[in-house]
Amino acid sequence: MVGRRLWYLGLAFVVAVVSVAYSSSDTDARSGQEKNLRRAIASYEAMQRYLYLPDVKLYKEQYPEQPGQNPYSYVWPFSQAMAATIDLAGIRKIGAQYKDDIGDRLEGVELYWNNTTTPPGYDSYVRPPLGWGGDKFYDDNEWIALEQVQWYRMTGDQQALARAKQVFDLVVYGWDNDPTHPCPGGVFWTQASWSRDRNTVSNAPGAELGLHLYEITGDRYYFDWAKRMYDWVNTCLLAPNGLYWDHIDLAGNIEKTQWSYNQGTMIGASVLLYRITGDSQYLRRAEAIADAALEYYGGAGRLYRQDPPFNAIFFKNLLLLESINHDKRYRKMMQDYADEMWRSARDPETGLFVFEATKPTSLLYHAAMVQIYATLAWSPQDYDLMA
């Protein structure tokens, strides 16, 4: 790990230009990486040109701005722009160029941090004096913490790791302790009073976060809680087709939409459990979810009806699985999607992605596409760093 961190901090560009012998398939793969690299850079530059507010290190929600639009984005879109920047920094050939941008993202996200609550965490909107804060969503906090873990894995940034640990404490705080509830347990989706749902998306990323922290620290607290979240999802929201439903409410009603990011995070949690325990049942489960997801989303245009950020999370977790089993089907599905979006959803004048002709560009959707192109440009040797 120390050697990898040293590589990242100063030697990335050197490694990228070392001459090696390539087979024809390696040459094709390198050509694809170069294409994705160009697309990632162009898409990131468009995001920064049209959506970034450098004076405050925050982003707009949309471009062009709409009547009544908030001055700044909510934390969920910001987190995906932060993920896009960190993913760009993970590309060996260019990553070192984005170190200052990462610093700006890590500074910007702290404008959402609310340390007046117990436990502290990220509010849904910018805190005073720039904004008014807002309810905490456990999944929003988990995405940010996973990005901080990835940055730690890439660089050894201790402050990022410390924040990720604080967020995990918040997630544990969100666990439902009432044994009388249908399917007792599970992390609630939000602290807001208007929802008491317990979701796959508030538990599976929490499990991933805890497992990453266990790998890093060896502290059993993280493993035990992560396993508890993982088991709850498998008990309460696993569908007969091997995929996962969205959430269960306190009346026991299950919302059965099968979003792609829910499949991705359960794949990722299974991979991490295999990586930690060496128990092949977890690898088989990850592969079974992936197989079911490829079949389901590969038919009837279902993948293209998912929100791009859901697909970005799904794809990156497939790459984490590929780091173990080297199954190229995952990257092919991801590349096919990336190519189609470049063809059909990108405005060539601005470089922004517009997914419905009547709507402006969304930071959330555009940042997802930056993530997809950036991680497709990664060296497969580094997929194990993804979080």
Side-chain angles (χ1 to χ4, degrees):
M1 180 64 75
V2 172
R4 176 169 273 156
R5 291 172 187 161
L6 290 174
W7 153 75
Y8 180 82
L9 290 171
L11 302 179
F13 70 98
V14 175
V15 173
V17 298
V18 172
S19 296
V20 295
Y22 287 97
S23 66
S24 59
S25 60
D26 287 337
T27 302
D28 290 343
R30 184 173 60 165
S31 174
Q33 285 180 325
E34 289 294 329
K35 173 182 72 174
N36 291 308
L37 173 60
R38 293 191 299 271
R39 290 177 174 182
I41 293 170
S43 300
Y44 179 76
E45 289 177 350
M47 182 174 78
Q48 296 303 100
R49 182 178 305 116
Y50 292 103
L51 289 157
Y52 189 52
L53 300 166
D55 290 345
V56 287
K57 299 181 181 176
L58 293 169
Y59 285 90
K60 304 173 188 177
E61 190 87 12
Q62 297 173 315
Y63 178 85
E65 294 186 41
Q66 303 300 293
Q69 181 175 316
N70 292 331
Y72 312 113
S73 77
Y74 285 96
V75 76
W76 160 228
F78 183 96
S79 76
Q80 297 311 291
M82 180 170 155
T85 313
I86 292 173
D87 288 341
L88 266 174
I91 302 172
R92 290 190 176 200
K93 192 172 184 178
I94 62 166
Q97 301 173 22
Y98 293 93
K99 186 177 179 182
D100 289 346
D101 293 51
I102 298 293
D104 290 343
R105 297 302 94 75
L106 293 173
E107 190 173 335
V109 77
E110 290 307 299
L111 297 173
Y112 298 87
W113 183 255
N114 185 349
N115 60 6
T116 70
T117 55
T118 304
Y122 293 101
D123 282 357
S124 59
Y125 194 67
V126 180
R127 299 279 302 155
L130 294 177
W132 49 85
D135 296 314
K136 290 183 183 64
F137 289 78
Y138 292 104
D139 60 331
D140 288 350
N141 278 266
E142 289 159 352
W143 303 131
I144 295 167
L146 285 168
E147 291 151 23
Q148 291 162 334
V149 163
Q150 183 170 308
W151 183 240
Y152 169 80
R153 287 193 181 278
M154 293 162 64
T155 66
D157 185 324
Q158 290 291 333
Q159 288 186 323
L161 179 61
R163 269 288 188 256
K165 290 178 179 179
Q166 286 182 287
V167 168
F168 191 76
D169 291 339
L170 173 72
V171 175
V172 170
Y173 177 81
W175 185 264
D176 178 15
N177 289 306
D178 190 334
T180 68
H181 288 162
C183 217
V187 176
F188 288 106
W189 177 47
T190 178
Q191 292 183 350
S193 59
W194 46 264
S195 172
R196 301 304 288 160
D197 297 337
R198 292 155 294 158
N199 293 48
T200 299
V201 77
S202 50
N203 286 271
E208 286 190 291
L209 176 59
L211 293 168
H212 279 291
L213 291 173
Y214 176 75
E215 275 194 321
I216 293 165
T217 68
D219 187 336
R220 190 78 190 187
Y221 160 78
Y222 297 116
F223 181 88
D224 290 344
W225 269 108
K227 184 66 162 52
R228 197 173 180 184
M229 296 170 197
Y230 177 82
D231 289 344
W232 182 86
V233 176
N234 277 307
T235 299
C236 298
L237 292 171
L238 178 60
N241 66 350
L243 300 179
Y244 294 90
W245 291 317
D246 188 63
H247 69 260
I248 183 170
D249 66 19
L250 293 186
N253 301 308
I254 295 177
E255 209 295 305
K256 295 185 176 180
T257 304
Q258 294 183 324
W259 299 113
S260 57
Y261 66 169
N262 287 333
Q263 322 318 318
T265 49
M266 286 301 284
I267 289 168
S270 300
V271 170
L272 292 169
L273 280 165
Y274 171 72
R275 221 159 69 173
I276 289 166
T277 67
D279 188 335
S280 61
Q281 71 162 311
Y282 295 116
L283 178 57
R284 290 195 300 270
R285 183 173 293 172
E287 291 175 328
I289 302 166
D291 287 345
L294 262 61
E295 180 179 356
Y296 180 78
Y297 297 112
R302 292 188 187 96
L303 184 66
Y304 295 91
R305 292 198 294 273
Q306 298 284 307
D307 291 351
F310 296 179
N311 286 338
I313 292 164
F314 170 59
F315 289 139
K316 289 198 284 185
N317 279 283
L318 285 176
L319 295 183
L320 185 64
L321 175 55
E322 186 181 329
S323 74
I324 301 291
N325 71 1
H326 311 294
D327 190 330
K328 301 299 188 293
R329 293 178 302 153
Y330 313 144
R331 206 181 334 166
K332 182 183 184 306
M333 179 185 237
M334 186 178 182
Q335 187 67 66
D336 289 347
Y337 177 84
D339 290 343
E340 175 58 27
M341 292 300 98
W342 188 265
R343 185 195 66 79
S344 64
R346 181 177 179 271
D347 177 358
E349 287 191 19
T350 62
L352 295 170
F353 288 88
V354 184
F355 285 87
E356 292 183 34
T358 58
K359 290 189 175 182
T361 290
S362 154
L363 172 65
L364 178 62
Y365 283 24
H366 185 89
M369 296 310 304
V370 179
Q371 293 174 55
I372 289 170
Y373 296 120
T375 49
L376 280 168
W378 273 35
S379 167
Q381 299 172 44
D382 299 325
Y383 289 167
D384 63 335
L385 293 173
M386 288 190 184

